[in-house]
C-alpha cells in the first residue's frame, strides 16, 4: 500500500491524499441518505467543487424502479471533459448518498467522491491533450437499490458514449483496495490493459472476482454491465468491516493509506485510458490473474487451465513413482500420512467452529453486530490460525516418520491436487492454485533424493503457496463474517501441509505447538478484553415506534437480542420475544423484530388515499383496471406496500414505471407477477411526491387489500414520544429500519368504493 498518505509536498499535478481527505471530511459531516437535508448539501458541495474546476455540471433527476420493487427519485451529478477525438468515453463513477439512516458515509462512498474530485483536479492541472472524453458520474440512491445508475443507463444520452467505467466503492473503512472486474464477455482485454496502465499498488486476483460474482453485492457498475453492456473495474476495500453502513463510518476511521491506494489506481488508469481505444474492450478469452506483493500481476489464459492441471498430475505421479522406485516410502506410509493430515483438517476446523460458537454463547453482545464481524474480529482470526497450527504440530508430532519424511508429504500434495482438479472445472478463477503443486513436486523430489534437505531452500519453494493462499485466510472471514471462521482454519491446514517440507523436519514439534498455543491464548485474551462496547466501539441497538391505525394500537419494536439501558425503558428487563412471522421488516442479513412492548398512541397524520376502479375503453376486455394514489401528509422517508404473494397482477405500473423480470433458469420472476414474497414495493421518498399505482386484474379476481407501512426516520425528534438520545457507547443498528416512526394502515378497495379521502 502507499506510504505517502501524509506527504504535504505533493505537486498540484499529482494526487494528494491530504487534499482528497478534506473532501471526505466535508462530505461526511452528517448522514446524507436520500431524502435527508444533508443529502442536498452534499450534492451542492460536489457541484460547487466541479464548477470550481471549470467544468460544466448538470444534474439528472427522475424516478427509477429496480427489479426488486425499490422506487425512488434519484438526482445524479454529471460533468464531461472533452477529448480531441469523437471516440468512446471513459466514465469515472461513484455514489454520493450514504446508507440510511445513520451512516456518515465517509468510506462508503465519500472516499470514492474524494478520489474522483482530487484525481480530476490533478488531471486538469496537467493540462495535457487527450483523445477520449472523460465523463464524471456521481450517482444517487445507490444504497437503496442502484437506482441512480439505472436512471443514467436507461435515460441519459451520454450512456451510449461510455466505453469503459471505473467505479470506486467501499465495504469497510481500511485495508487493501481490491480491483474487481465487471464484464459480460471474456476479461482478457481488460486485464491486459490494466497491466499496461501500470498501477503501482495493484491488489487483485481472479478468485476474488469469482467469489464476488456469487454474492449479492452488486454495485452501480453491475447495472451498467447488465443493462448497457459496459465493461469496467470496481475498486473497493473491506477491512474494518464493522464500520460498514454504520454511524462509525466517519472520516476519522477511514485509513488514509487506503484512500491513497484508491488514488494510485485512478491516476495511472486515467492517464492510460484517456488515449486508449475504448471502442471494443470485449474479448472471447478469459485470463487467470493474481497480483504479487511487489506490485507485479501474473496472468495467463483459461485455455492453460487443463494443460497446467495435467502437468501437475504428471509431475506428481512421476515423482511419486520415483519415490517408490527409490524405496523412500511405502504405500502404507503414504496412506499413513493421511492420518495426521485429516486430524489437522477436521480437528482444527471443528475446534475453531466450536470456539466461535462458544464465543457467541459467552459474549452474547456479539449477536448485535448485524454483519457478523465484531470489533475484535481480527483477534479471533489470528486465534483461529494459531490454534489450528497447534493442532497441526501436535498431529504431525504423533507421526514423526523419522528418516522418511517424504512419505508424510505425499498425501497432502495429492489432496491439494484433488482440490485443484475440482477448481479447474467448478471455480476456474482459482485455477492458479495449481502453481504450488509444481513447487511441491520439486520439494518431494528433493526430499526423496536427500535425507536432510536444505530447509532454507524448502522454505523458498513453499513461499508461492503462502503468497497465493494466505490473503484468503483473513479476507474470507472479514468479508463473509466470523461464522465462517472455520474456513480460515481449513486454509491454515492447507498452508501448513504445503510447508511440510519445512515443518516436517522440525525436531521439536511439541515446543512449536506450545508456542502456537500460547499465541492463541494471547489472541483470545486480547479479544476478551476488547469484547465490551465503548465510545470507540459503540453497541448497535434499535427502536421502532409502530402505530396500527386500524386497531388504534401502538407498539415499541426492536431487532436487538439483548436489552440495554437505553432500550430497557421501553421493553423492561424481561421483554416479550416476538415469533418470527410477526415481523414484516427484515435486513439484508435476515434480522427481524425480536422484542415488542405496548406504546402510547400518538397523533400521526394519515396519508391521503384514493382507490378507484378505472373505466374500461374495451368492453370485451377480460381485465379490470384500478388506480391507487397515496400521498403523505407528513415528512416521511419511505412507504412499503404488502399484499399476499399469491396475488399476481396482469399489469402493474408505479409512477408510470414497471420493473423488469428476474430470470432464474427458464423461470421469470417479477416483483408484481409470479411473485416470491409478500412485499410488493418500497418507495423511498426523496421528496413528498404522491405514490401513483395502476394495476390490472382478471375480472373474476378479487381486489386485494394493501397493507401500507409509512415510515419516517425521526423517532428521536418526535415531540410526542420524547425518546432520549443514546448513550455515547451506543449507535443506531445499521442495515435495518431504525429510529423510525411507522404508521401501518390497511387499504381496502371495498371501503374506498363508498368513501374516499381527499389528498391534501
Amino acid at each position: 500500500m502507499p506510504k505517502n498518505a501524509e506527504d504535504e509536498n505533493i505537486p498540484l499535478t499529482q494526487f494528494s491524499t491530504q487534499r482528497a481527505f478534506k473532501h471526505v471530511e466535508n462530505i461526511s459531516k452528517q448522514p446524507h441518505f436520500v431524502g435527508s437535508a444533508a443529502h442536498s448539501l452534499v450534492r451542492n458541495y460536489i457541484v460547487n467543487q466541479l464548477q470550481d474546476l471549470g467544468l460544466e455540471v448538470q444534474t439528472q433527476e427522475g424516478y427509477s424502479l429496480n427489479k426488486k420493487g425499490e422506487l425512488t427519485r434519484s438526482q445524479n451529478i454529471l460533468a464531461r471533459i472533452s477529448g480531441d477525438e469523437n471516440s468512446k468515453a471513459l466514465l469515472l463513477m461513484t455514489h454520493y448518498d450514504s446508507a440510511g439512516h445513520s451512516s456518515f458515509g465517509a468510506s462508503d462512498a465519500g472516499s470514492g467522491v474524494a478520489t474522483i474530485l482530487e484525481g480530476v483536479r490533478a488531471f486538469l492541472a496537467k493540462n495535457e491533450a487527450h483523445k477520449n472524453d472523460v465523463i464524471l458520474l456521481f450517482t444517487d440512491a445507490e444504497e437503496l437499490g442502484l437506482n441512480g445508475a439505472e436512471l443514467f443507463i436507461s435515460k441519459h444520452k451520454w450512456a451510449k458514449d461510455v466505453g469503459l467505467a471505473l467505479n470506486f466503492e467501499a465495504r469497510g473503512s481500511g485495508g487493501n483496495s481490491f480491483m474487481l472486474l465487471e464484464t459480460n464477455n471474456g476479461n482478457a482485454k481488460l486485464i491486459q490493459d490494466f497491466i499496461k496502465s501500470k498501477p503501482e499498488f495493484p491488489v487483485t486476483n481472479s478468485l476474488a472476482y469469482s467469489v464476488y460474482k456469487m454474492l449479492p453485492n452488486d454495485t452501480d457498475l453491475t447495472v451498467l454491465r447488465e443493462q448497457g453492456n459496459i465493461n469496467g473495474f470496481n475498486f473497493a476495500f473491506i477491512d474494518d468491516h464493522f464500520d460498514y453502513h454504520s454511524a462509525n463510518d466517519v472520516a476519522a476511521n477511514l485509513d488514509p493509506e487506503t484512500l491513497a491506494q484508491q488514488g494510485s489506481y485512478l491516476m495511472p488508469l486515467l492517464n492510460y485510458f484517456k488515449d486508449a481505444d475504448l471502442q471494443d474492450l470485449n474479448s472471447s478469452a478469459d485470463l487467470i490473474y493474481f497480483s504479487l506483493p511487489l506490485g507485479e500481476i501474473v496472468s495467463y489464459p483459461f485455455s492453460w487451465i487443463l494443460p497446467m492441471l495435467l502437468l501437475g498430475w504428471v509431475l506428481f505421479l512421476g515423482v511419486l513413482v520415483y519415490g517408490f522406485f527409490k524405496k523412500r516410502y511405502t504405500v502404507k506410509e503414504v496412506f499413513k500420512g493421511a492420518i495426521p493430515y485429516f486430524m489437522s483438517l477436521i480437528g482444527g476446523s471443528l475446534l475453531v467452529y466450536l470456539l466461535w460458537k462458544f464465543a457467541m454463547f459467552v459474549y452474547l453482545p456479539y449477536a448485535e453486530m448485524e454483519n457478523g464481524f465484531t470489533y475484535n474480529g481480527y483477534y479471533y482470526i489470528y486465534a483461529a490460525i494459531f490454534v489450528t497450527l497447534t493442532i497441526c504440530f501436535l498431529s504431525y508430532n504423533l507421526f514423526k516418520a523419522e528418516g522418511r519424511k517424504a512419505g508424510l508429504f505425499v498425501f497432502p500434495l495429492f489432496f491439494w491436487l484433488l482440490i485443484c482438479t475440482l477448481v479447474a472445472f467448478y471455480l476456474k478463477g482459482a485455477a492458479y492454485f495449481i502453481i504450488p503443486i509444481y513447487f511441491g513436486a520439486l520439494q518431494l523430489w528433493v526430499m526423496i533424493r536427500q535425507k536432510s534437505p536444505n530447509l532454507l531452500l524448502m522454505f523458498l519453494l513453499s513461499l508461492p503457496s503462502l503468497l497465493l493462499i494466505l490473503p484468503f485466510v483473513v479476507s474470507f472471514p472479514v468479508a463473509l463474517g466470523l461464522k465462517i471462521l472455520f474456513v480460515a482454519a481449513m486454509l491454515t491446514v492447507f498452508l501448513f501441509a504445503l510447508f511440510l517440507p519445512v515443518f516436517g523436519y522440525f525436531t521439536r514439534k511439541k515446543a512449536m505447538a506450545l508456542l502456537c498455543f500460547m499465541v492463541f491464548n494471547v489472541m483470545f485474551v486480547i479479544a476478551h478484553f476488547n469484547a465490551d462496547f465503548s465510545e470507540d466501539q459503540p453497541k448497535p441497538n434499535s427502536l421502532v415506534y409502530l402505530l396500527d391505525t386500524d386497531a388504534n394500537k401502538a407498539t415499541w419494536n426492536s431487532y436487538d437480542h439483548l436489552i440495554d439501558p437505553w432500550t430497557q425503558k421501553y421493553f423492561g428487563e424481561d421483554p416479550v420475544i416476538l415469533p418470527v412471522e410477526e415481523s414484516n421488516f427484515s435486513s439484508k442479513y435476515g434480522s427481524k423484530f425480536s422484542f415488542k412492548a405496548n406504546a402510547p398512541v400518538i397523533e400521526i397524520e394519515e396519508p391521503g388515499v384514493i382507490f378507484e376502479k378505472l373505466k374500461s375503453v374495451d368492453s370485451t376486455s377480460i381485465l379490470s383496471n384500478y388506480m391507487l394514489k397515496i400521498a403523505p401528509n407528513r415528512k416521511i422517508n419511505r412507504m412499503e406496500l404488502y399484499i399476499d404473494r399469491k396475488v399476481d397482477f396482469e399489469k402493474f405500473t408505479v409512477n408510470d414505471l414497471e420493473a423488469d423480470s428476474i430470470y432464474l433458469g427458464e423461470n421469470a420472476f417479477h416483483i408484481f407477477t409470479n411473485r416470491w414474497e409478500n412485499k410488493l414495493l418500497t418507495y423511498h421518498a426523496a421528496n413528498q411526491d404522491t405514490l401513483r399505482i395502476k394495476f390490472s386484474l382478471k375480472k373474476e379476481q378479487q381486489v386485494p387489500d394493501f397493507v401500507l407501512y409509512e415510515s419516517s426516520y425521526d423517532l428521536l425528534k418526535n415531540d410526542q414520544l420524547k425518546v432520549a438520545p443514546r448513550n455515547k457507547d451506543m449507535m443506531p443498528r445499521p442495515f435495518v429500519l431504525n429510529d423510525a416512526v411507522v404508521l401501518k394502515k390497511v387499504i381496502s378497495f371495498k371501503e374506498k368504493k363508498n368513501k374516499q379521502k381527499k389528498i391534501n
Side-chain angles (χ1 to χ4, degrees):
M1 296 180 68
K3 301 300 180 185
N4 63 342
E6 304 301 326
D7 193 343
E8 298 181 358
N9 300 315
I10 300 292
L12 291 176
T13 54
Q14 295 181 20
F15 184 95
S16 165
T17 304
Q18 286 196 343
R19 288 192 286 261
F21 208 90
K22 290 179 181 177
H23 289 309
V24 176
E25 292 174 331
N26 289 327
I27 290 167
S28 59
K29 291 179 179 179
Q30 302 177 64
H32 47 280
F33 54 87
V34 173
S36 65
H39 181 256
S40 298
L41 296 177
V42 170
R43 182 172 62 252
N44 293 339
Y45 176 83
I46 297 171
V47 170
N48 291 336
Q49 291 298 313
L50 294 174
Q51 289 176 339
D52 288 345
L53 295 176
L55 299 178
E56 183 178 338
V57 185
Q58 61 174 266
T59 57
Q60 178 196 19
E61 184 173 2
Y63 280 106
S64 60
L65 177 69
N66 69 12
K67 295 177 180 179
K68 297 182 179 180
E70 305 280 345
L71 171 73
T72 194
R73 192 173 185 87
S74 306
Q75 291 180 287
N76 296 330
I77 306 167
L78 299 105
R80 188 163 185 159
I81 306 170
S82 297
D84 295 334
E85 296 183 3
N86 185 21
S87 56
K88 285 290 187 178
L90 174 66
L91 178 70
L92 309 181
M93 66 184 298
T94 188
H95 67 92
Y96 71 91
D97 62 308
S98 67
H101 39 81
S102 55
S103 173
F104 288 76
S107 297
D108 184 19
S111 63
V113 175
T115 297
I116 293 176
L117 288 177
E118 170 59 14
V120 169
R121 184 209 57 75
F123 176 75
L124 293 173
K126 290 183 178 181
N127 196 29
E128 294 179 349
H130 54 94
K131 296 179 181 179
N132 302 323
D133 287 6
V134 179
I135 298 174
L136 313 181
L137 171 62
F138 301 90
T139 65
D140 193 10
E142 188 272 351
E143 299 291 3
L144 303 182
L146 315 177
N147 294 75
E150 196 279 334
L151 181 67
F152 170 75
I153 199 66
S154 62
K155 298 290 178 63
H156 202 283
K157 63 181 181 180
W158 288 356
K160 69 180 186 305
D161 299 334
V162 177
L164 179 71
L166 310 181
N167 184 44
F168 293 87
E169 261 288 2
R171 294 187 73 241
S173 59
N176 285 122
S177 176
F178 273 78
M179 183 278 283
L180 300 168
L181 290 170
E182 288 275 6
T183 177
N184 289 327
N185 304 280
N187 64 28
K189 189 71 168 64
L190 291 173
I191 293 299
Q192 290 165 355
D193 282 346
F194 182 75
I195 294 173
K196 290 177 184 176
S197 71
K198 298 180 181 179
E200 193 175 358
F201 305 98
V203 180
T204 185
N205 57 69
S206 47
L207 172 56
Y209 181 57
S210 295
V211 173
Y212 163 77
K213 290 191 293 185
M214 297 176 182
L215 302 175
N217 296 315
D218 292 344
T219 68
D220 281 338
L221 186 51
T222 307
V223 175
L224 271 60
R225 173 182 59 81
E226 291 180 345
Q227 299 185 30
N229 196 27
I230 295 173
N231 294 312
F233 300 95
N234 282 309
F235 303 98
F237 46 95
I238 64 171
D239 279 8
D240 295 344
H241 194 48
F242 37 70
D243 292 333
Y244 180 47
H245 278 192
S246 78
N248 256 13
D249 188 7
V250 294
N253 288 333
L254 173 61
D255 185 350
E257 291 183 353
T258 300
L259 183 60
Q261 190 174 21
Q262 293 290 66
S264 76
Y265 280 124
L266 173 60
M267 299 315 296
L269 289 169
L270 178 54
N271 184 63
Y272 177 80
F273 286 115
K274 68 181 175 63
D275 296 313
D277 182 6
L278 305 181
Q279 292 291 338
D280 187 9
L281 293 175
N282 293 324
S283 175
S284 59
D286 277 302
L287 296 183
I288 300 292
Y289 58 93
F290 56 90
S291 58
L292 297 175
L294 296 180
E296 296 296 321
I297 298 177
V298 178
S299 66
Y300 59 86
F302 268 35
S303 59
W304 289 18
I305 293 177
L306 292 182
M308 290 179 68
L309 177 65
L310 180 61
L311 177 61
W313 277 105
V314 169
L315 289 175
F316 170 75
L317 292 175
V319 177
L320 177 65
V321 171
Y322 178 73
F324 283 126
F325 176 75
K326 286 290 189 178
K327 298 182 180 180
R328 295 290 291 153
Y329 42 72
T330 65
V331 173
K332 181 179 179 181
E333 288 176 329
V334 168
F335 280 101
K336 189 177 179 181
I339 299 175
Y341 184 75
F342 283 121
M343 285 176 60
S344 302
L345 185 61
I346 297 173
S349 303
L350 182 60
L351 179 58
V352 168
Y353 175 81
L354 293 175
L355 280 172
W356 178 242
K357 288 293 184 182
F358 171 76
M360 289 292 290
F361 176 77
V362 173
Y363 304 101
L364 296 178
Y366 288 174
E368 307 298 355
M369 302 301 290
E370 189 80 11
N371 60 11
F373 192 75
T374 60
Y375 292 116
N376 56 1
Y378 291 104
Y379 294 111
Y380 283 115
I381 295 175
Y382 306 147
I385 292 171
F386 281 98
V387 76
T388 303
L389 289 175
T390 302
I391 298 295
C392 289
F393 278 114
L394 289 177
S395 299
Y396 278 91
N397 183 66
L398 296 175
F399 296 85
K400 296 181 180 179
E402 296 291 346
R404 300 173 71 91
K405 311 293 185 185
L408 285 177
F409 188 45
V410 172
F411 186 84
L413 203 58
F414 167 74
F415 195 83
W416 186 250
L417 193 49
L418 284 180
I419 292 174
C420 291
T421 302
L422 293 173
V423 160
F425 291 98
Y426 299 107
L427 190 62
K428 294 185 177 182
Y432 61 87
F433 281 168
I434 191 65
I435 293 174
I437 290 292
Y438 305 148
F439 292 91
L442 178 58
Q443 288 171 307
L444 182 58
W445 182 78
V446 173
M447 294 167 73
I448 292 170
R449 301 259 314 166
Q450 302 176 9
K451 290 185 178 180
S452 300
N454 186 300
L455 290 190
L456 177 59
L457 173 63
M458 293 290 103
F459 173 76
L460 293 176
L461 292 175
S462 294
L463 276 181
S465 58
L466 187 74
L467 297 178
L468 297 179
I469 301 171
L470 182 61
F472 296 101
V473 177
V474 176
S475 62
F476 277 169
V478 172
L480 304 177
L482 293 174
K483 63 180 181 294
I484 66 160
L485 194 58
F486 66 92
V487 174
M490 295 175 65
L491 292 174
T492 301
V493 174
F494 293 150
L495 264 176
F496 181 93
L498 292 172
F499 268 81
L500 275 176
V502 180
F503 296 142
Y505 290 91
F506 282 16
T507 57
R508 305 187 66 181
K509 295 186 180 68
K510 279 188 178 180
M512 291 299 299
L514 178 60
L515 177 62
C516 291
F517 186 68
M518 290 172 63
V519 176
F520 154 71
N521 279 279
V522 170
M523 294 297 105
F524 216 87
V525 168
I526 294 175
H528 167 75
F529 283 105
N530 285 274
D532 293 334
F533 294 115
S534 63
E535 289 188 26
D536 293 329
Q537 299 179 174
K539 175 189 181 294
N541 59 15
S542 58
L543 186 65
V544 174
Y545 176 85
L546 176 60
L547 173 63
D548 186 334
T549 59
D550 298 292
N552 195 31
K553 182 179 179 182
T555 56
W556 298 111
N557 300 269
S558 176
Y559 305 87
D560 299 351
H561 300 272
L562 297 172
I563 294 299
D564 57 39
W566 189 69
T567 55
Q568 183 180 339
K569 303 170 187 175
Y570 307 97
F571 300 103
E573 296 183 2
D574 189 19
V576 176
I577 299 177
L578 282 173
V580 172
E581 61 270 12
E582 285 195 28
S583 175
N584 276 329
F585 300 106
S586 64
S587 75
K588 63 181 290 187
Y589 297 103
S591 297
K592 296 187 176 183
F593 285 155
S594 52
F595 300 143
K596 180 174 73 172
N598 291 329
V601 175
I602 64 173
E603 291 186 9
I604 300 178
E605 194 163 6
E606 297 185 27
V609 176
I610 294 178
F611 197 171
E612 62 185 22
K613 185 175 181 179
L614 302 176
K615 294 182 179 179
S616 177
V617 296
D618 182 5
S619 59
T620 63
S621 174
I622 62 172
L623 302 179
S624 296
N625 303 313
Y626 301 87
M627 181 268 292
L628 172 62
K629 291 184 179 180
I630 308 173
N633 284 319
R634 63 184 179 117
K635 172 64 176 175
I636 67 163
N637 293 98
R638 79 187 201 189
M639 294 181 187
E640 290 174 280
L641 285 176
Y642 290 78
I643 64 167
D644 192 309
R645 64 179 297 272
K646 296 177 182 178
V647 177
D648 285 332
F649 298 93
E650 300 299 319
K651 295 180 182 179
F652 194 104
T653 62
V654 51
N655 289 28
D656 301 321
L657 300 174
E658 183 174 1
D660 294 329
S661 297
I662 297 174
Y663 286 89
L664 301 177
E666 296 181 353
N667 298 317
F669 292 83
H670 196 285
I671 192 67
F672 307 135
T673 304
N674 199 10
R675 300 171 54 242
W676 59 88
E677 60 182 8
N678 291 334
K679 182 188 286 189
L680 184 65
L681 67 90
T682 301
Y683 169 46
H684 300 275
N687 44 38
Q688 302 305 297
D689 283 358
T690 298
L691 185 64
R692 308 182 310 277
I693 297 172
K694 292 182 180 179
F695 63 90
S696 300
L697 298 169
K698 291 182 179 179
K699 287 188 174 180
E700 67 274 10
Q701 190 171 350
Q702 185 176 353
V703 182
D705 289 343
F706 291 78
V707 180
L708 168 68
Y709 291 89
E710 186 190 68
S711 307
S712 58
Y713 305 154
D714 58 357
L715 176 63
L716 274 65
K717 298 177 181 178
N718 190 286
D719 294 333
Q720 299 179 75
L721 294 172
K722 294 182 173 56
V723 175
R726 287 178 172 83
N727 301 340
K728 291 184 178 181
D729 60 348
M730 301 175 185
M731 70 176 180
R733 191 183 190 100
F735 303 106
V736 295
L737 175 67
N738 200 356
D739 289 4
V741 176
V742 183
L743 180 148
K744 177 185 177 183
K745 182 179 182 63
V746 175
I747 301 174
S748 175
F749 179 70
K750 302 171 193 174
E751 297 176 4
K752 296 302 173 185
K753 282 195 297 184
N754 300 319
K755 182 178 180 181
Q756 296 181 353
K757 290 191 175 182
K758 291 184 178 181
I759 298 179
N760 294 336

